[in-house]
Amino acid sequence: VQLVESGGGLVQAGGSLRLSCAAPGFSFGDYALGWFRQAPGKEREVISCIGSGVGHVYYAASVKGRFTISSDSAKKTFYLEMKALVPEDTAVYYCAAEPWIPLCLDRDTVYDYWGQGTQVTVSS
């Protein structure tokens, strides 16, 4: 299963971006989807995750209220909408997917499928 990310780039503080993660070979029955990021010199951290089960969604405190995760099973794509961006959001962002698990998984070790990463840079 290949995940292909797009939508990263350079944006000024206060701006918005939408990251997309296309997963054409992925089964959108039961699933767990996640977005992670890694800033220079820091460990990869979970930003958000969602499971196909009802109510299974999580946002890190640093992005809650500014970022929104969503999925479109018909397009086999999931998204991370990012608003009110700040320089601290600068990082490489990765999408991840795991089939057959309808839960929000907030640890990177549980995901088998990953996107290639996309750079998000927020200037002050």
Side-chain angles (χ1 to χ4, degrees):
V1 176
Q2 185 178 11
L3 305 183
V4 180
E5 298 181 45
S6 60
L10 174 64
V11 63
Q12 288 188 333
S16 301
L17 284 173
R18 187 177 77 161
L19 305 183
S20 299
C21 182
F26 187 73
S27 172
F28 273 79
D30 287 335
Y31 59 82
L33 307 173
W35 287 96
F36 296 77
R37 69 185 181 189
Q38 187 166 21
K42 295 187 177 181
E43 293 187 354
R44 186 162 57 187
E45 61 174 345
V46 62
I47 297 303
S48 180
C49 60
I50 189 169
S52 55
V54 175
H56 288 280
V57 63
Y58 165 84
Y59 295 97
S62 58
V63 305
K64 195 169 186 178
R66 300 189 297 122
F67 290 13
T68 304
I69 189 171
S70 63
S71 64
D72 185 331
S73 58
K75 294 183 178 180
K76 294 205 169 184
T77 301
F78 61 109
Y79 306 94
L80 185 69
E81 189 80 36
M82 306 185 294
K83 298 181 179 179
L85 286 161
V86 298
E88 291 74 22
D89 293 320
T90 295
V92 178
Y93 284 69
Y94 298 91
C95 60
E98 184 68 23
W100 316 122
I101 301 178
L103 304 174
C104 174
L105 304 177
D106 61 357
R107 291 179 296 167
D108 57 359
T109 54
V110 299
Y111 289 93
D112 287 326
Y113 304 107
W114 289 84
Q116 79 279 13
T118 186
Q119 177 70 45
V120 172
T121 303
V122 184
S123 63
S124 57

